[in-house]
Amino acid sequence: MRIWRIKVFGLAVAVFCQLVKAQSADPAVPEFLAKSVVVPQMFGAVGDGANHPVSAADVAAKQSTWVGKYAAGDEWDYVGLQEAIYASFNNGTLTPNGRNARLNKTLYLPPGNYLVNKPPTVALVFGGSVTGAGRFATTITSTFAGPAFQTNGCWYTQFTGITFAATVPQSGAVFELDGNYDGASKQGVQGNTFKDCYFEAAGKAAVGLAIVRLGGNTAQGSENLFLNCHFQSGTFSGVYISGFNALQNTFVGGNIQDCRNGIYVHAGSINVDSMGFQNGFQKQIDGDGFDVVLNNSADDHSSVRNCRSESARLIHVRNKHYVVLDNNNLVNTPPSGEWAPGKTYPRGAIISGKTSGKGDGRLFIAMTEGTSGATEPDWPGLGTLAANLIRAGSDELGLDGAGLDPAAAENYGVVVTGAGPEGKPLYATIRKSDKGKWAMTEKATTAVSMAQVRLGPLAADGGIKWMHYEYDEVVTDSTVSVTNNSFRWGRTRFGGGAIAHNNFARADNLELLAKLRDGPARASVENNRLTRNGGWNSGADEKPSLPDKATSPDPTPPRKEAP
């Protein structure tokens, strides 16, 4: 099978070379293959990563032979790709082949970086194939505030071995998988396969790949499969899904990195298996992001299994979306490591208490710059999280409902996300309260709406003041199945269901589970345990107790040494 694939690839390249040179078909190439593969270089694409604008003379000379309409200034790579799409899936016309898929040809993109100033668009394609030479070997790069590729109706089609990249800030996605992007169509998206593709938002585009972001419910968006795909640096999310019919989208393997949210499901359902997440720690928390967000449900079920996360926050589930969390492992570490004596920390440093010390299992944030003391401090108690609107130049917080006692909360530390200079956190203390209004020692530099506010008592440590760094690691408001997971530093809050065989690093999580078991949700809670971190917070002894050999003999017989 492998030898045959190599031969087919070689023949496809031979066809490409002959077509580019405008020579007659190589007699050694089977006629059926020469008629079944299309490459964009046939229509003027270059793919060398440089700008090649179409001139007015080019338009005058070529318009009669082009299927689409183009203007002076369009990139030849865009023209070549779009014309290759017409040749592959429209039989060289403006009318899609549609369900007559036997007329389709494979669209092959040889190695290169294709610059597009408009989105190459596939419309009403059934059973198509768009194939590159491999991630990073073949790249389509958007040079404008729009997608590098989009669909308007796409069923049972394969996209393989291509990088889609952004270079210009935009509020949409690098790849728009849609059936109604223009609001005038009601075409579906279903059963497509993406394999070994890379979606590079580059910190420019909001989303790496979007499923029916614009078409919504009318565009369906279901049963799409993503195999070993990577999503990079979306300012909002790696993947965005937005349709109540966008169900059973599946992600197997691959990775999502440096995105505020990993997979954000505004509406729909997903199954994720063996994916890696690397979306940062404080960056993700301050951005109020999660690796997986499930926002809306029409009695939908989702699952996240066998995933490894180096991010801070795994999943947030809202509106009674049922989810299965099984065998996931969070392996993040505090940005500034474990507390150490005599060390200088900048303001905003986040550390954990010393292993087997007083504060292991919790994180703390430096509210002032300074050098730590010689011995581990008596860490501050738990803080609280709230949200608030704050104006630039104001020192006032409105925190009604935060559960704070006005007298006790004066001189609490406070961090307001995004309210400092250039949108950085604002660090201050509470100086007084009056009828739910809290005045801070510092004024906001940046206006923020519904800012995340973190408050708590302070503890002195040499020249530093520390505050507990509270955040949510997992949040669900509905029945869930949570088994065999390892959780880390943050709160885990569940709405009910079966919660069993998990590791927690915080004792208070187990206390909350006990209340959940006995409360109105009647959760099934069993065999959860604390990761052996030691210290007052973990609930574990300093040293494990060993069995008495007299009463608990070793069942393993002694091993004989080899002669």
Side-chain angles (χ1 to χ4, degrees):
M1 180 63 75
R2 181 177 296 175
I3 294 174
W4 166 243
R5 288 177 179 170
I6 293 172
K7 287 182 177 180
V8 171
F9 175 78
L11 291 172
V13 173
V15 172
F16 154 67
C17 293
Q18 296 300 319
L19 289 169
V20 170
K21 295 178 181 179
Q23 296 175 353
S24 59
D26 187 334
V29 178
E31 183 179 358
F32 81 90
L33 186 60
K35 293 182 178 180
S36 63
V37 177
V38 174
V39 294
Q41 282 80 354
M42 295 166 57
F43 305 96
V46 182
D48 63 356
N51 297 106
H52 298 284
V54 172
S55 67
D58 293 329
V59 174
K62 296 287 187 180
Q63 189 61 72
S64 62
T65 63
W66 286 334
V67 175
K69 292 187 179 299
Y70 309 98
D74 284 342
E75 291 286 349
W76 269 108
D77 286 346
Y78 162 65
V79 173
L81 281 166
Q82 190 61 58
E83 289 296 301
I85 288 170
Y86 292 138
S88 297
F89 310 121
N90 294 26
N91 208 24
T93 70
L94 286 174
T95 303
N97 296 334
R99 292 185 178 274
N100 200 6
R102 65 183 180 80
L103 297 178
N104 290 341
K105 301 176 178 63
T106 295
L107 174 55
Y108 173 67
L109 278 64
N113 183 5
Y114 301 81
L115 304 186
V116 296
N117 65 304
K118 295 175 182 176
T121 303
V122 166
L124 288 173
V125 61
F126 282 79
S129 177
V130 181
T131 302
R135 279 180 286 195
F136 307 117
T138 297
T139 300
I140 303 176
T141 299
S142 168
T143 62
F144 72 109
F149 205 95
Q150 67 183 8
T151 72
N152 194 21
C154 191
W155 298 263
Y156 317 115
T157 292
Q158 300 180 48
F159 297 86
T160 306
I162 303 172
T163 291
F164 303 91
T167 59
V168 176
Q170 58 138 320
S171 60
V174 179
F175 191 113
E176 296 276 3
L177 182 62
D178 218 313
N180 187 16
Y181 69 82
D182 55 7
S185 311
K186 293 185 179 180
Q187 295 147 176
V189 170
Q190 183 180 20
N192 302 290
T193 299
F194 291 77
K195 180 182 177 183
D196 296 332
C197 288
Y198 197 98
F199 303 87
E200 176 58 88
K204 303 292 186 180
V207 177
L209 174 134
I211 301 177
V212 297
R213 181 180 71 91
L214 300 172
N217 300 331
T218 62
Q220 193 175 5
S222 63
E223 292 101 30
N224 298 290
L225 174 62
F226 299 85
L227 295 172
N228 194 30
C229 291
H230 286 228
F231 306 85
Q232 179 78 31
S233 301
T235 59
F236 183 77
S237 64
V239 177
Y240 183 87
I241 303 173
S242 183
F244 282 99
N245 293 319
L247 307 174
Q248 214 67 23
N249 289 293
T250 300
F251 299 80
V252 179
N255 183 272
I256 300 182
Q257 185 171 359
D258 291 336
C259 301
R260 186 197 309 178
N261 298 284
I263 303 174
Y264 191 98
V265 181
H266 177 68
S269 69
I270 57 173
N271 293 295
V272 184
D273 197 331
S274 194
M275 177 172 264
F277 295 98
Q278 296 171 291
N279 293 311
F281 194 88
Q282 189 172 9
K283 173 185 175 182
Q284 187 185 54
I285 294 172
D286 286 349
D288 196 24
F290 286 83
D291 289 339
V292 177
V293 177
L294 301 171
N295 253 352
N296 290 296
S297 171
D299 194 28
D300 297 330
H301 288 201
S302 292
S303 65
V304 180
R305 302 175 184 269
N306 308 310
C307 293
R308 181 182 187 274
S309 175
E310 296 179 24
S311 314
R313 311 170 90 189
L314 181 63
I315 189 168
H316 194 172
V317 183
R318 305 180 178 97
N319 295 322
K320 310 303 180 184
H321 193 123
Y322 184 91
V323 64
V324 172
L325 300 177
D326 182 46
N327 200 39
N328 302 293
N329 187 21
L330 278 86
V331 295
N332 54 59
T333 58
S336 297
E338 185 182 83
W339 177 89
K343 182 175 179 179
T344 299
Y345 292 97
R347 185 172 63 176
I350 298 173
I351 55 93
S352 68
K354 194 171 176 61
T355 302
S356 299
K358 300 175 182 179
D360 198 25
R362 298 265 174 89
L363 299 184
F364 307 95
I365 183 168
M367 297 295 290
T368 59
E369 180 181 0
T371 301
S372 59
T375 59
E376 188 173 8
D378 291 324
W379 295 106
L382 287 178
T384 188
L385 289 171
N388 182 254
L389 168 67
I390 188 167
R391 300 183 302 275
S394 173
D395 64 355
E396 186 178 274
L397 289 171
L399 295 173
D400 284 332
L404 293 175
D405 175 75
E410 289 188 13
N411 298 316
Y412 265 23
V414 56
V415 180
V416 185
T417 301
E422 299 178 349
K424 295 178 181 178
L426 173 68
Y427 299 90
T429 56
I430 299 293
R431 58 184 177 85
K432 67 176 182 178
S433 65
D434 181 23
K435 297 180 181 179
K437 301 295 183 183
W438 302 77
M440 302 181 295
T441 56
E442 302 288 338
K443 293 183 178 181
T445 303
T446 306
V448 286
S449 177
M450 294 305 292
Q452 183 172 251
V453 180
R454 186 173 284 106
L455 303 100
L458 300 174
D461 169 32
I464 306 177
K465 288 186 177 179
W466 297 100
M467 185 177 76
H468 175 243
Y469 191 73
E470 183 72 279
Y471 70 96
D472 292 323
E473 188 169 288
V474 174
V475 183
T476 75
D477 68 350
S478 60
T479 302
V480 295
S481 175
V482 184
T483 56
N484 305 309
N485 302 283
S486 292
F487 300 112
R488 297 291 285 177
W489 313 100
R491 298 189 300 185
T492 54
R493 298 189 286 152
F494 307 106
I499 303 162
H501 314 298
N502 301 288
N503 288 340
F504 295 93
R506 289 177 47 163
D508 54 327
N509 283 324
L510 294 191
E511 294 166 2
L512 291 172
L513 291 183
K515 293 179 181 178
L516 186 63
R517 179 185 56 212
D518 300 331
R522 299 296 181 191
S524 173
V525 179
E526 61 179 350
N527 200 33
N528 297 287
R529 70 187 185 91
L530 291 160
T531 304
R532 179 153 181 77
N533 291 331
W536 66 271
N537 167 64
S538 75
D541 294 331
E542 289 295 324
K543 294 181 180 181
S545 58
L546 299 177
D548 186 342
K549 291 185 178 181
T551 57
S552 301
D554 186 351
T556 305
R559 184 175 57 183
K560 293 183 179 181
E561 297 294 334

